[in-house]
Amino acid sequence: MFAEITIDYFILLAALLLIIGVLTTKFSSRLGVPALILFILVGLIAGSDGLGFIPFDNAKMAQLIGILALIIILFEGGLSTKLATVKSVAVPSLSLATLGVIITTAVVAVAAKLILNVSWMEGFLFGAIVGSTDAAAVFAVLKGHNIREKIGATLEAESGSNDPMAMFLTISLIELLLVDNPSYLLLIGSFFWQMGIGALLGYLFGKLATISINKINLDSSGLYPVFALAFALLTYCITAILGASGLLAVYIAALIIGNSELTYKQSIFKFNEGFAWMAQILMFTILGLLAFPSQLFTWEVMIKGIGLSFILILIARPIAVFLSTIKMGYSLNEKIFLSWAGLRGAVPIVLATFPMIAGLENSPLFFNVVFFVVITSALIQGSTISVFAEKLGLTGAKRVEPPYSLELVSIGKANAEIIEFEVNEETSITGMSLKDIMFPKDVLINAIIRSGNLITPQGDTKIIAGDILYILVSKKSKKQLNEMLNSSIQNHKGEMQQ
């Protein structure tokens, strides 16, 4: 009877946490506070040192849940990132993700040595833990704002690729602290192995996943998102087992998958978007449960945390950004914004569990100070990103997500699907009547949404910018249709003249 009550009790708590987490995302935008802060707050209140609803003090379990959540979040972030945009900012993003993390680590290390009164090696360890921006925080915050595409892409690509660097530095520094005679040459070789093999395996698994998703003919469309997510987990595990960076491999694999032609692409995207939110709720809540307010909100931790946050936000990050992006085409305002938007989130807290598990002497102090630094970064930087973007003139056209969806689940065996396409001014068919458009074979416009109204397609219906088209197409004609829709008006006119 006791076991049954315990199981029911925890299921009830899980349900309440998810409901509170989902509602929290609604309130966070109104309050101007990043959702991750409210998720952490829920964990702090419900934990052992709060109301005691969920007694939790297991660093290994928190680390496991954190890494699983990061895999899901990075996978979703990679899926929704346009590869063409990433390519345009690949060099600065890579520079920020490597050189930027190293510079941040070094500057913070000096401060940590003085403020925390630790050894130089421990100071560098602290710097490595807080050295990377956080993908979960950056993806979540940028989604709600119309930041200029180039800047948003730089931040997303940096946060998606700098976690492996921070994790490598953290684990390496812990090994240096624990081993009597460490080999620095082996560490350098390990870095190139982790990054190089991680990138290669990510690309290969991304290609394999794309081919597998398109070739397999599953009985239910709901299985395709699960199949895609399984490849993300497989990519991480195989890469990690080989001693390379699993997180980097997952992000690159997601970029390849998300920018390929996929069966049930919208279903895969929507499922992973929802699942990533659930992973964020779970991860930040668990990390909140792991922290003890009585230890976190002491004068010692708060004063040291504020001092290190000040140095990280106003000194280390700007130095890293300005040095990492020299002669890379960024204006002064853009560099200032990149400096301010370097959010810290779950990754530093997860990395702070590594010293705890390794049994390092100052690991409790590190964890509490890192936790406080993350809260400070999220509250101060996360809640002011949109204000900074507007003041610096870095807001772009408002991002409009099509509010309509059409799930097609009944013709999985018919070798056809319905795609959603939003017309813009540069689309080749803009201004043309349906009867004049030379669509590929096996293509039919099912519906048009215009200014919130349903338009029944007729031969003389003219396509205008802003229309959302729902198009039934056979799988063999899908590639040709996409090429036609995504070609510019200039290219289309050139083809017509020829």
Side-chain angles (χ1 to χ4, degrees), residues 218-432:
L218 300 173
D219 292 333
S220 171
S221 62
L223 292 175
Y224 285 92
V226 179
F227 193 53
L229 183 60
F231 269 99
L233 298 174
L234 181 67
T235 300
Y236 176 86
C237 291
I238 297 297
T239 307
I241 288 171
L242 293 175
S245 175
L247 294 178
L248 179 62
V250 167
Y251 185 68
I252 291 177
L255 281 175
I256 300 299
I257 296 169
N259 287 274
S260 303
E261 292 301 325
L262 290 180
T263 299
Y264 296 108
K265 190 171 187 175
Q266 288 299 319
S267 296
I268 292 172
F269 278 33
K270 294 299 182 184
F271 171 86
N272 280 284
E273 182 182 14
F275 204 51
W277 270 111
M278 190 172 75
Q280 285 190 59
I281 293 170
L282 177 63
M283 175 174 63
F284 287 118
T285 303
I286 289 293
L287 294 176
L289 291 172
L290 187 63
F292 285 75
S294 61
Q295 300 173 13
L296 181 63
F297 298 108
T298 63
W299 284 111
E300 180 188 10
V301 170
M302 288 193 294
I303 291 172
K304 291 179 178 179
I306 290 172
L308 287 167
S309 295
F310 174 84
I311 291 167
L312 174 64
I313 295 171
L314 298 179
I315 300 176
R317 172 67 179 179
I319 291 174
V321 168
F322 276 77
L323 291 180
S324 300
T325 57
I326 292 175
K327 295 182 179 180
M328 292 189 183
Y330 288 90
S331 67
L332 177 61
N333 282 358
E334 288 173 335
K335 290 182 179 181
I336 292 173
F337 183 77
L338 288 173
S339 300
W340 187 254
L343 292 175
R344 268 59 189 176
V347 173
I349 302 176
V350 172
L351 291 179
T353 63
F354 282 80
M356 295 176 69
I357 294 171
L360 295 183
E361 180 183 356
N362 289 311
S363 59
L365 174 64
F366 276 25
F367 181 84
N368 288 322
V369 175
V370 166
F371 204 102
F372 196 85
V373 168
V374 168
I375 291 176
T376 306
S377 172
L379 277 175
I380 297 175
Q381 294 172 283
S383 59
T384 57
I385 276 185
S386 59
V387 176
F388 260 72
E390 290 176 6
K391 294 293 183 182
L392 295 170
L394 299 176
T395 53
K398 188 175 181 180
R399 297 181 183 182
V400 179
E401 294 292 334
Y404 317 95
S405 62
L406 187 59
E407 297 295 336
L408 191 62
V409 297
S410 60
I411 61 171
K413 299 290 186 180
N415 199 34
E417 58 184 288
I418 290 180
I419 65 171
E420 182 184 84
F421 181 80
E422 185 173 3
V423 179
N424 60 50
E425 294 180 354
E426 295 300 317
T427 305
S428 60
I429 61 174
T430 302
M432 298 179 65

Side-chain angles (χ1 to χ4, degrees), residues 39 49 96-97 103 109 129 132 137 164 168 184 223 235 246 251 280 295 306 314 366 437 449 460 491:
F39 298 154
D49 210 22
L96 285 167
I103 294 171
I129 290 173
S132 72
F168 167 78
Y184 294 96
L223 292 175
T235 300
Y251 185 68
Q280 285 190 59
Q295 300 173 13
I306 290 172
L314 298 179
F366 276 25
I437 301 174
I449 303 295
D460 57 355
N491 291 340

Side-chain angles (χ1 to χ4, degrees), residues 55-135:
F56 185 81
D57 188 19
N58 191 326
K60 284 188 176 181
M61 181 62 68
Q63 186 183 102
L64 172 62
I65 293 172
I67 290 175
L68 281 172
L70 285 174
I71 294 169
I72 295 166
I73 292 164
L74 280 173
F75 186 64
E76 190 274 333
L79 286 178
S80 58
T81 301
K82 294 179 180 178
L83 192 56
T85 306
V86 170
K87 286 180 178 179
S88 66
V89 296
V91 174
S93 297
L94 186 61
S95 179
L96 285 167
T98 51
L99 179 60
V101 172
I102 293 172
I103 294 171
T104 303
T105 298
V107 175
V108 174
V110 176
K113 169 72 172 67
L114 299 173
I115 294 175
L116 300 180
N117 193 27
V118 295
S119 67
W120 278 111
M121 196 65 72
E122 288 176 312
F124 275 96
L125 174 59
F126 184 90
I129 290 173
V130 298
S132 72
T133 58
D134 183 66

